[in-house]
Amino acid sequence: MIGLITKDFLVFNRVFNKFYKLLCAIILVGVIILFPENCAMYIGLLLPTAGVCFLAELIKAEEKSDWKDYLPALPLTSREIVLSRYLFCGILLAALSIISLILCIIAPLIGSITLVEAMSYFISGVWFSVLLVSFGIPCGYFFKNDICTGGMIWACVIMGVIRNTGADMLLFSLASPAVYATVIAFTILMVYVSYRISLWIYIKRKYAKQKHITKDVT
C-alpha cells in the first residue's frame, strides 16, 4: 500500500509541475497583498481544495498509462488498493490544510477579519475538500476521468448551495458542541460510505473483467 501512495505522490508531483507551483505561490501572495481583509475567505475556502482537485488529473494520467491493467498483477488486496487512494488524498489534504490554517491565523493580524470568521472559512474549505474526495474517488477512480470531474462538479454545486443559503455560517453561529459533533460524525460517515461504494465498484469491475478474460480464453 505504501508503494501505491508513493506512486500517487510521484504522479501528482509530475502533474502539479513547477509552473503550477509557482502560479499558486504568486496567487497566494497576491491575494494576501491585494485583499488583506478578505484573504482568509479565499485562502480558507480554496487552498485545501486546490490539490484535491488534481485528483481528476491524477486519474487521467493513470488512464493514459493503462495503470488499471497492472493493478490486478500486484500482490495487494482490493481493500488495500482502494484504501491507498483515500490515504493519499487524506495526507495531501492534511498538508494543504496546515498551510491554510497558518495563513488563516495570520489573516486577522493584517486585516479587519476576526479569528472566528477566519476559522469558519478554514473549516468550510476543509469540509469542501472532503466532499470533493468523497464524490470524486468513487465517480472516477475506476471509471473515466470525465465522470470523476462530473462528480467533483456536483460536489461544487452542493457546496455552492450551502454557501449561498448561508447554512454554513448559521451552523458556526450556533456554537454548540452537539452541532459540531454531529457535523464531524456526518463527515466521517460520508467518507466511509464513499469508501464502501468505491470498494464495491472495484470488486465488481475486477471480477467482471476476470470473467470476461476467462471466457475469451475458453
Side-chain angles (χ1 to χ4, degrees):
M1 186 188 298
I2 295 178
L4 289 178
I5 297 174
T6 302
K7 184 273 300 179
D8 283 346
F9 273 107
L10 290 175
V11 176
F12 173 80
N13 187 58
R14 180 171 63 85
V15 174
F16 190 58
N17 53 39
K18 293 180 180 179
F19 171 77
Y20 285 114
K21 292 175 183 177
L22 179 61
L23 180 62
C24 288
I26 293 174
I27 292 175
L28 279 177
V29 174
V31 167
I32 294 174
I33 295 175
L34 298 176
F35 309 102
E37 295 183 358
N38 298 317
C39 64
M41 177 178 66
Y42 297 110
I43 293 172
L45 288 173
L46 299 179
L47 182 58
T49 67
V52 175
C53 284
F54 271 82
L55 173 64
E57 293 298 322
L58 178 64
I59 294 172
K60 187 175 181 180
E62 289 182 344
E63 289 176 358
K64 290 182 178 179
S65 64
D66 295 326
W67 170 249
K68 296 176 187 178
D69 295 335
Y70 295 100
L71 272 177
L74 297 177
L76 296 168
T77 65
S78 299
R79 293 178 182 273
E80 290 174 326
I81 292 173
V82 175
L83 186 59
S84 67
R85 181 54 54 85
Y86 281 88
L87 290 176
F88 161 73
C89 290
I91 295 171
L92 182 62
L93 175 57
L96 293 171
S97 296
I98 291 174
I99 299 174
S100 178
L101 177 61
I102 294 173
L103 294 176
C104 285
I105 291 176
I106 296 175
L109 301 177
I110 60 177
S112 59
I113 190 173
T114 66
L115 181 61
V116 174
E117 291 174 330
M119 288 300 100
S120 67
Y121 290 127
F122 165 72
I123 295 173
S124 296
V126 173
W127 193 84
F128 181 29
S129 301
V130 174
L131 187 66
L132 285 174
V133 170
S134 299
F135 275 64
I137 293 181
C139 286
Y141 188 22
F142 310 111
F143 289 105
K144 295 294 184 180
N145 179 61
D146 290 341
I147 299 181
C148 174
T149 304
M152 297 176 81
I153 288 175
W154 273 108
C156 292
V157 171
I158 293 174
M159 190 62 188
V161 171
I162 294 175
R163 291 290 300 161
N164 289 330
T165 57
D168 54 341
M169 293 297 104
L170 176 61
L171 186 66
F172 288 115
S173 66
L174 296 176
S176 170
V179 173
Y180 294 147
T182 301
V183 172
I184 293 174
F186 174 78
T187 302
I188 294 174
L189 178 62
M190 179 175 64
V191 175
Y192 177 74
V193 171
S194 173
Y195 163 73
R196 296 300 302 183
I197 292 174
S198 295
L199 182 60
W200 176 76
I201 293 172
Y202 178 75
I203 293 175
K204 183 177 180 180
R205 288 176 62 87
K206 178 181 177 181
Y207 284 107
K209 187 174 182 179
Q210 290 178 348
K211 185 182 296 184
H212 178 72
I213 294 174
T214 304
K215 184 178 180 181
D216 290 341
V217 173
T218 55

